[in-house]
Amino acid sequence: YGIRKDIFKYDEVMENQRQVLYKLRRRALVDTDESIAACLRDFNDQNVDELLSQHIQADQPMQSWGLEQLAQDLTTRFMGTWSVEAAQLEALASGQGSSIDGGAAPDSGLPAIRRFVRQKTYEAIGMKERAIDMDGPGLQHGVKRQILLMLVDTFWQRHLENMDSLRDAVKLRTYGEQNPIVEYKRDAYKAFANMMVRIRRNVVFYLFNFQPQPLAPVSTAR
């Protein structure tokens, strides 16, 4: 009975994760184009905030911020659709935003950089969407759905394989007087959170890497 109870607890963890993942998968399949676009914008905002946190410590002097590297990372991440110079970011941080982004809100520091970067990424995404649509009106909507669906399925399959290995690994921890269920829940949560982060990061990345492939001419020869 104890073994069956443990198996149920393991399965319960996976079922909770499956419900969250399948909700995102269903969104990719049946939600409106506007909902998919909103999902992508949300992912983009989270990616921006994550990237800024890697280079900017708001409680430290501006001189210590990694704005040069941030500018390089932004230019690379958006595949040439948008480039930024460190001097622009420095001007924004110093409160000179009106000279950079056309007279927007007069903030400074991290809020000014965040607002500027988010707006520019929206513009870059719009440029990419229009470029995709040049190969077919509305093609961008199908592309975004397929990217989201592909990444959800790919990372979920990898996650399932990792969870099988984790279940075997935590059983060995009983020899160290650790509760394998508690250990499994903790590590499974971390693994699932990391998987969702990878999906979120890659959706935007894959959109900017997408290049429509021309159809090969069909031969009429028999």
Side-chain angles (χ1 to χ4, degrees), residues 14 17 159-167 184 187-188 191:
M14 291 308 303
Q17 294 185 356
H159 181 70
L160 291 177
E161 295 170 358
N162 291 338
M163 289 303 96
D164 287 340
S165 300
L166 176 61
R167 182 182 296 196
Y184 179 79
D187 290 355

Side-chain angles (χ1 to χ4, degrees), residues 113-166:
I113 293 177
R114 179 187 293 114
R115 175 176 48 77
F116 171 76
V117 172
R118 282 188 177 184
Q119 182 58 42
K120 290 299 183 180
T121 57
Y122 298 154
E123 295 173 9
I125 289 172
M127 289 175 60
K128 183 63 179 183
E129 290 171 341
R130 290 189 292 274
I132 294 173
D133 279 351
M134 290 179 66
D135 285 86
L139 179 61
Q140 57 161 302
H141 303 304
V143 168
K144 285 183 279 193
R145 288 181 189 275
Q146 288 300 316
I147 289 175
L148 181 56
L149 190 61
M150 175 192 69
L151 291 172
V152 165
D153 288 348
T154 298
F155 282 109
W156 178 245
Q157 186 59 44
R158 294 179 188 174
H159 181 70
L160 291 177
E161 295 170 358
N162 291 338
M163 289 303 96
D164 287 340
S165 300
L166 176 61

Side-chain angles (χ1 to χ4, degrees), residues 10 15 54 120 134 172 176-177 212:
Y10 287 128
E15 180 59 25
Q54 294 171 3
K120 290 299 183 180
M134 290 179 66
L172 299 177
E177 299 183 351

Side-chain angles (χ1 to χ4, degrees), residues 148-203:
L148 181 56
L149 190 61
M150 175 192 69
L151 291 172
V152 165
D153 288 348
T154 298
F155 282 109
W156 178 245
Q157 186 59 44
R158 294 179 188 174
H159 181 70
L160 291 177
E161 295 170 358
N162 291 338
M163 289 303 96
D164 287 340
S165 300
L166 176 61
R167 182 182 296 196
D168 294 335
V170 296
K171 292 176 182 177
L172 299 177
R173 300 181 192 180
T174 56
Y175 297 107
E177 299 183 351
Q178 295 174 310
N179 186 320
I181 302 297
V182 173
E183 294 290 307
Y184 179 79
K185 287 182 177 180
R186 183 190 65 193
D187 290 355
Y189 172 80
K190 291 180 180 178
F192 184 76
N194 288 335
M195 179 197 70
M196 295 299 286
V197 167
R198 288 194 291 271
I199 291 173
R200 181 248 297 165
R201 289 173 179 168
N202 279 279
V203 165

